[in-house]
Amino acid sequence: MSTLQVSVYRYNPENDDAPWMQDFQIDTQGRDLMVLNVLQMIKEQDSSLVYRASCREGVCGSDGMNMNGKNGLSCVTPLSEVVKNNRLVLRPLPGLPVIRDLIIDMSLFYKQYERIQPYLQNDERPPSIERLQSPEDRDKLDGLYECILCACCSTSCPSFWWNPDKFVGPAGLLQAYRFLADSRDTHTQERLSELDDPFSVFRCRGIMNCVNVCPKGLNPTRAIGKIREMLVRNTA
Amino acid sequence: MAARRAIHRLSRRPDLMIIESYQKLPVVYSCGPGEKSAVKSQRPLSTAKRPVNLDLSSIQFPLPALVSISHRVSGIMLFIGLIFLMWAFQVSLSSPAGFNTVREAMAHGFFARLVLWGLLSALGFHFVAGVRHLIMDMGHGETLEGGQRGAQLTIIISALLVVMAGVWVW
Amino acid sequence: MVINILNPGRNGVADWMIQRASAVILGLYSIFMVAYLLFNPDLDYAAWSGLFSHIWMKVFTLLALLSVAAHAWVGLWIVATDYIKPAAIRFGALLFVILALFVFVVWGVQVIWGV
């Protein structure tokens, strides 16, 4: 039985007043395809379906979506990982406004990212060669710099759903810690003062959905814990 | 330097930051959710009326997430239960007769024992989940496996406490 | 930076500290009370009121009461700001919570220092 039942979230603001689910039968011929392949096959049946995708190898972060209830990248998620009872439900990432079909408005997500000042800030005179960093200090950036900003984590976080304009969210906070932990950055105090309010960092309840869904295997919960530790040491 | 200042200024623009309109404005349905509307609406493509996918029944919640929401629910239950606890506290200390009233209720009253068991269970769960939070604050159990194991332990220990509380009360 | 007026502490760290500290105090108090009641199944009025006649017990109970108020306030403020978006209703709910907690504290003090 290689016919997969796929149910896709559809919404076109020009035609529809409300989102609806469209069902497709897809013949996978027994192959363990990626969800992105299935979407391409669906597009052959109904070309009005739109979704974001680019690198098709899990490095650009464009094709994040909710597959059978769990966020992930469609290009590196094989059917064997998500399909249950021969059924696949594709929905856009939760919590952010839907522009059309599986495409969401990432503005709030990017705003929170900009807010934490995701660039190195060093007031010292730039050296004639690159700023040096010991291997131990460089190791502290592992697990932080690899983020591809796919938004799977933040859109799986209930605290982000309820307060996307106030809580920075797992992705933003992971990057905030990436710069707090960078030995070449000298603006640690300013970064911490920016984050020291009840909303930006402290809405994290340790739900850990973010760790569960990150396609790159990163751990925002641990990074947020480290930011909290820095804030407490700073203040108390 | 100018580019950096520009980004800095952008992130401080309150008008761009506040997207509360997404949450305040209702999404208007001319047909039921799930039904495709046959009539092309004349309304403009306003960004403020974009729908949001928050159908919680369609989203998978792993065990740590369920433990977290239960922690919140048990906390609210305890807040409401404070009324009963304060009543019992006052009456039991007011006089020997008062003390006996409370004792009788706890020993034989059905409603009283139900409330007591509910509160003890909520307290047990909230306490164990709270201890888990404190352990995570100290940096343990923040990995994927650690979080899963912590959630499982919380459930097992709480279930034991609920049963023990049940035995004690009933 | 997100500015608020109803949060208990001056900043995020203060709220978090208050919640953790009050949690530890309440945890200890709960363990004490449950253990006391478990190991005194044939408790009578004399022993019960005797327990609360000690000054350390009065202080401990008062500490627990204040901790409940602080812990519940921080927790319920977070819940309200998560789920109640219309500002007026949220203010109303939080006002109710703070009044309820105030009543509990005063009620408790009155019981401990028994009039």
Side-chain angles (χ1 to χ4, degrees):
Chain A
M1 192 173 61
S2 57
T3 312
L4 182 67
Q5 312 292 326
V6 189
S7 193
V8 187
Y9 182 103
R10 302 300 309 272
Y11 173 71
N12 188 337
E14 286 179 27
N15 303 330
D16 307 325
D17 283 323
W20 53 287
M21 302 297 288
Q22 186 176 13
D23 292 328
F24 297 94
Q25 328 292 329
I26 299 295
D27 181 14
T28 60
Q29 292 166 351
R31 297 169 294 169
D32 190 12
L33 300 170
M34 297 297 179
V35 173
L36 183 62
N37 297 131
V38 171
L39 275 166
Q40 288 160 346
M41 291 164 83
I42 292 176
K43 200 155 166 89
E44 285 166 22
Q45 289 184 25
D46 179 355
S47 62
S48 69
L49 173 68
V50 294
Y51 51 90
R52 285 190 180 119
S54 179
C55 72
R56 97 273 178 267
E57 60 177 7
V59 293
C60 72
S62 305
D63 59 358
M65 61 183 69
N66 188 275
M67 301 169 284
N68 273 358
K70 188 169 170 181
N71 290 355
L73 300 175
S74 67
C75 61
V76 290
T77 304
L79 293 175
S80 53
E81 204 175 283
V82 280
V83 169
K84 280 199 177 57
N85 298 328
N86 207 38
R87 202 168 143 67
L88 177 65
V89 178
L90 298 175
R91 297 175 68 95
L93 291 176
L96 289 175
V98 177
I99 300 176
R100 185 174 148 182
D101 291 340
L102 297 168
I103 297 179
I104 52 165
D105 181 353
M106 300 271 279
S107 317
L108 266 172
F109 177 77
Y110 294 142
K111 293 262 175 342
Q112 296 292 11
Y113 177 62
E114 284 169 24
R115 199 184 129 190
I116 53 103
Q117 294 167 24
Y119 39 83
L120 198 70
Q121 295 178 81
N122 188 314
D123 292 330
E124 293 153 18
R125 254 180 31 154
S128 51
I129 55 171
E130 63 280 339
R131 292 189 191 281
L132 296 179
Q133 190 175 47
S134 70
E136 294 78 26
D137 283 335
R138 170 62 186 80
D139 286 343
K140 290 188 192 143
L141 301 179
D142 286 342
L144 302 173
Y145 76 89
E146 301 95 324
C147 174
I148 57 176
L149 296 175
C150 66
C152 286
C153 59
S154 293
T155 56
S156 71
C157 176
S159 291
F160 189 74
W161 295 340
W162 315 139
N163 287 293
D165 50 339
K166 301 205 189 90
F167 176 47
V168 174
L173 289 171
L174 187 79
Q175 287 313 296
Y177 183 63
R178 178 250 174 277
F179 286 100
L180 284 167
D182 196 328
S183 58
R184 301 165 296 171
D185 185 278
T186 58
H187 275 221
T188 313
Q189 278 310 313
E190 292 87 337
R191 291 183 188 276
L192 287 175
S193 329
E194 241 300 299
L195 292 172
D196 190 19
D197 61 81
F199 273 99
S200 309
V201 176
F202 287 95
R203 295 311 276 202
C204 175
R205 317 306 316 156
I207 298 169
M208 291 184 78
N209 274 0
C210 52
V211 186
N212 196 259
V213 299
C214 178
K216 307 307 276 181
L218 307 179
N219 193 329
T221 303
R222 189 170 46 208
I224 294 173
K226 295 233 167 72
I227 300 178
R228 230 184 274 132
E229 206 184 317
M230 286 178 86
L231 281 169
V232 168
R233 266 182 227 276
N234 214 29
T235 328
Chain B
M1 195 61 186
R4 196 195 297 171
R5 266 208 297 273
I7 297 173
H8 194 67
R9 264 202 303 277
L10 187 72
S11 61
R12 270 163 169 64
R13 282 276 299 277
D15 52 307
L16 292 178
M17 283 295 288
I18 306 298
I19 320 281
E20 279 163 13
S21 56
Y22 286 142
Q23 291 155 334
K24 275 189 207 151
L25 282 169
V27 180
V28 175
Y29 299 95
S30 65
C31 51
E35 290 173 70
K36 188 175 172 190
S37 82
V39 175
K40 179 175 172 175
S41 305
Q42 289 299 313
R43 61 177 172 81
L45 294 175
S46 160
T47 56
K49 286 203 170 77
R50 285 177 174 159
V52 176
N53 172 24
L54 267 178
D55 178 8
L56 297 183
S57 61
S58 72
I59 299 171
Q60 215 186 74
F61 288 104
L63 199 63
L66 297 171
V67 167
S68 187
I69 188 67
S70 305
H71 191 202
R72 183 171 274 198
V73 168
S74 62
I76 296 172
M77 279 167 63
L78 285 167
F79 174 69
I80 298 170
L82 270 177
I83 304 175
F84 297 98
L85 285 171
M86 293 302 294
W87 169 84
F89 188 49
Q90 150 140 46
V91 174
S92 68
L93 275 173
S94 59
S95 68
F99 181 84
N100 284 327
T101 311
V102 176
R103 204 197 166 82
E104 272 305 298
M106 302 297 183
H108 302 295
F110 180 76
F111 180 68
R113 281 189 288 172
L114 197 63
V115 168
L116 182 63
W117 184 37
L119 286 177
L120 281 172
S121 308
L123 181 65
F125 183 85
H126 198 85
F127 180 88
V128 178
V131 167
R132 174 172 174 254
H133 262 127
L134 290 173
I135 295 175
M136 281 171 73
D137 282 343
M138 293 192 283
H140 306 292
E142 283 179 320
T143 63
L144 193 59
E145 308 78 24
Q148 189 72 17
R149 227 178 321 126
Q152 285 165 345
L153 262 173
T154 303
I155 303 240
I156 293 170
I157 297 177
S158 309
L160 274 168
L161 287 175
V162 169
V163 169
M164 280 159 59
V167 167
W168 187 22
V169 171
W170 300 97
Chain C
M1 193 57 140
V2 183
I3 302 165
N4 297 273
I5 50 168
L6 275 182
N7 49 290
R10 278 160 292 133
N11 50 40
V13 179
D15 282 359
W16 182 87
M17 280 293 208
I18 291 170
Q19 207 182 32
R20 262 57 180 175
S22 58
V24 171
I25 295 171
L26 285 169
L28 291 168
Y29 191 80
S30 310
I31 294 175
F32 174 80
M33 284 310 287
V34 168
Y36 181 82
L37 291 170
L38 256 177
F39 291 120
N40 288 291
D42 298 315
L43 194 65
D44 63 352
Y45 177 72
W48 185 237
S49 59
L51 173 68
F52 284 96
S53 66
H54 297 117
I55 186 67
W56 58 262
M57 189 57 191
K58 291 188 203 247
V59 170
F60 193 16
T61 306
L62 178 63
L63 190 60
L65 257 174
L66 293 171
S67 298
V68 167
H71 192 84
W73 174 242
V74 176
L76 289 167
W77 178 81
I78 294 174
V79 172
T81 47
D82 259 353
Y83 301 133
I84 312 177
K85 291 307 178 190
I89 306 179
R90 192 171 66 241
F91 277 12
L94 287 171
L95 189 64
F96 170 75
V97 167
I98 212 170
L99 283 174
L101 290 172
F102 181 73
V103 165
F104 287 142
V105 170
V106 172
W107 190 1
V109 169
Q110 191 242 357
V111 172
I112 301 170
W113 268 276
V115 174

